[in-house]
Amino acid sequence: MSWGTELWDQFDNLEKHTQWGIDFLDKYAKFVKERLEIEQNYAKQLRNLVKKFCPKRSAKDEEPRFTSCLSFYNILNELNDYAGQREVVAEEIGHRVYAEIMRYSNDIKGERKSHLHEGRKAQQYLDMCLKQMDNSKRKFERECREAEKAQQSYERLDNDTNATKSDVEKAKQQLHLRTHMADESKNEYAAQLQNYNAEQHKHFYIVIPQVYKHLQEMDERRTIKLSECYKGFADAERKVIPIISKCLEGMVQAAKSVDERRDSQIVVDCFKSGFEPPGDFPFEDYSQHIYRTVSDGTISTPKQESLKPDPRMTVGKAKGKLWLFGKKPKGPALEDFSHLPPEQRRKRLQQRIDELSRELQKEMDQKDALNKMKDVYEKNPQMGDPGSLHPKIAETTSNIERLRMEIHKNEGWLSEVEGKVSQRSERRHSAEANHLVAQGRESPEGSYTEDANQEGRVQPQHHAHPEFDDEFDDDEPLPAIGHCKSLYPFDGNNEGTLAMKEGEVLYIIEEDKGDGWTRARKQNGEEGYVPTSYIEITLEKNSKGS
């Protein structure tokens, strides 16, 4: 099947068909461009959505502590990765499909123009040969008519007895001239006819088939290019399917990590004040000094010292100290957190001790490194001056002593709080076991005003008041800036470290600061430090979840 043999007389239709093919190519290129813009806008909107709902660093709420919130933020991280894959699809479509099809469209337009020009040029040459042949044919026909007229004139004069000899001779010469011219025209017409037939055969069997063959090959290449672009379009989607599947699997795992029991316990840990419920109000008998006649149906109230009103339990005289269900007092935050309820105070002190312990460990590691460097300088003076390290070593030693004193001071406060909480718990269990009356139990105010210097310092917590969030919140989880894959297992026995298995994928939330440790987070929200040399880190182009 060849256009040159099957469509030898369809030049105009082939010209229209090849133009339609190029128009269709441009139409598909426009489709790819619009799809590319849709993918880019979709990815951009997804990233804006993630940014909108990610926790802000300045936020002061407790949401990130709950498993439901941590799962939601993990889903946001996965959605951010999903948006990145949509950007990869858009980039792949732009490079492999749109750019390629636009380049090929420009090439094929030039090629088509060249082939059509060759076909028109061949047709014009054949038309010129036909015109020359037609001119020689008309000339031959005209000369033959003139020769025939000359012959008739000669025969007429030759048969006329009245014609002179000179007239006959003149007619004879004219006949010979016209006959000669007719013969020359005949030879010229025969030559032109032979030439035209040869050119026509060459045109329809060699030149035009060659031109049409090129047009056919061009059109087939256009069809093949469209097929390749269709496949490349699908491959761009297929390549990201495994990663998108991992993102969706991560969302499913985040959903499975929601633990309602843990969230309930977090609520208890967050808002538990450590106070005992208020005791029963005593009966205040104002009729003890009224002498009444005892009669039937009259209740006589015994005079007992135990029924005297306790000034500490009188609401009107509490002067705002009983704030379990009211507004908590406003005041500056104290260093020992004594302005907080016992449980919250213990929690804050424990957090501070953990932070100070981590800082102390870093300072000790830095001091060991400086001492090792000093030993190296002393053994190899050309590498550096050992004396230049003395100020830094002294500063590190001072920091270590300061941190130890801070830890000791906070541990003392923590022991004080834990001891009082334990005593109150024992008293409460004892009271409940023996069903003591209200007079035998201490009021919440009395429990925390055992001495004068503690009364103004330790205050109870109100019950689930909104203002509580302003002072008792912890920092929210840092957004992930990349991810890593563990190369080796790590047990994470030390405090602040994070255990991991070989091949486990973690989120990176803080880069190595030069101490050889990187801060990471697991899928379940557990955070800690891992050795930088144990992991393979991949940071995002723009911070993930920013």
Side-chain angles (χ1 to χ4, degrees), residues 274-277 423-433 441:
F275 291 115
E276 297 179 17
Q423 292 176 6
R424 285 193 296 272
S425 178
E426 291 177 359
R427 286 199 302 268
R428 180 179 178 181
H429 291 315
S430 176
E432 291 176 353
R441 299 176 62 184

Side-chain angles (χ1 to χ4, degrees), residues 368-380:
D368 293 341
L370 290 172
N371 288 330
K372 292 179 181 179
M373 189 180 297
K374 179 182 176 182
D375 294 340
V376 173
Y377 287 173
E378 289 175 351
K379 295 178 181 179
N380 301 286

Side-chain angles (χ1 to χ4, degrees), residues 4 52 62-63 96 114 117 153 163 166 215 231 242-243 270 313 330 350 353 369 419 430 441 461 467 475 535:
K52 178 180 179 181
E62 290 288 329
E63 283 189 357
R96 289 194 54 189
S114 175
H117 178 71
S153 177
S166 60
L215 288 174
K231 185 175 181 297
I243 302 179
C270 180
M313 296 301 297
K330 296 289 185 178
Q350 186 62 53
I353 291 172
S430 176
R441 299 176 62 184
Q461 177 196 11
E467 296 176 0
D475 295 334
I535 57 177

Side-chain angles (χ1 to χ4, degrees), residues 53-55 61-78 250-251 253-259 262-263 266 475-479 507 509 521-527:
F53 286 93
C54 268
D61 54 48
E62 290 288 329
E63 283 189 357
R65 302 168 50 137
F66 298 98
T67 59
S68 57
C69 297
L70 292 174
S71 297
F72 175 63
Y73 296 139
N74 288 334
I75 290 175
L76 289 179
N77 289 332
E78 297 294 347
M251 294 181 185
Q253 293 299 326
K256 292 180 179 179
S257 65
V258 175
D259 187 348
R262 184 178 176 185
D263 285 357
I266 290 175
D475 295 334
E476 71 283 349
L478 296 175
Y507 290 116
I509 58 177
R521 179 167 63 231
K522 288 188 175 182
Q523 296 284 349
N524 59 6
E526 186 179 0
E527 296 182 1

Side-chain angles (χ1 to χ4, degrees), residues 528-546:
Y529 289 88
V530 296
T532 306
S533 59
Y534 278 44
I535 57 177
E536 180 181 3
I537 300 177
T538 302
L539 297 179
E540 300 292 344
K541 294 181 181 179
N542 44 9
S543 296
K544 183 175 181 182
S546 62

Side-chain angles (χ1 to χ4, degrees), residues 126-180:
L126 183 63
D127 293 342
M128 184 189 69
C129 293
L130 177 62
K131 186 176 181 180
Q132 291 176 352
M133 187 269 295
D134 191 54
N135 290 336
S136 63
K137 178 182 177 181
R138 285 198 295 269
K139 182 180 179 182
F140 173 57
E141 183 181 4
R142 185 173 61 252
E143 292 297 335
C144 286
R145 284 199 301 268
E146 292 295 332
E148 186 177 354
K149 288 180 181 179
Q151 185 178 1
Q152 291 176 357
S153 177
Y154 169 73
E155 289 179 352
R156 179 173 53 80
L157 290 175
D158 188 38
N159 294 328
D160 189 1
T161 57
N162 296 324
T164 62
K165 186 176 181 180
S166 60
D167 291 338
V168 174
E169 190 65 29
K170 185 178 179 180
K172 184 177 181 181
Q173 290 178 359
Q174 185 68 23
L175 174 61
H176 289 166
L177 177 62
R178 289 298 180 181
T179 303
H180 178 70

Side-chain angles (χ1 to χ4, degrees), residues 1-10:
M1 181 187 64
S2 173
W3 287 5
T5 57
E6 303 290 340
L7 305 175
W8 61 271
D9 57 344
Q10 298 297 320

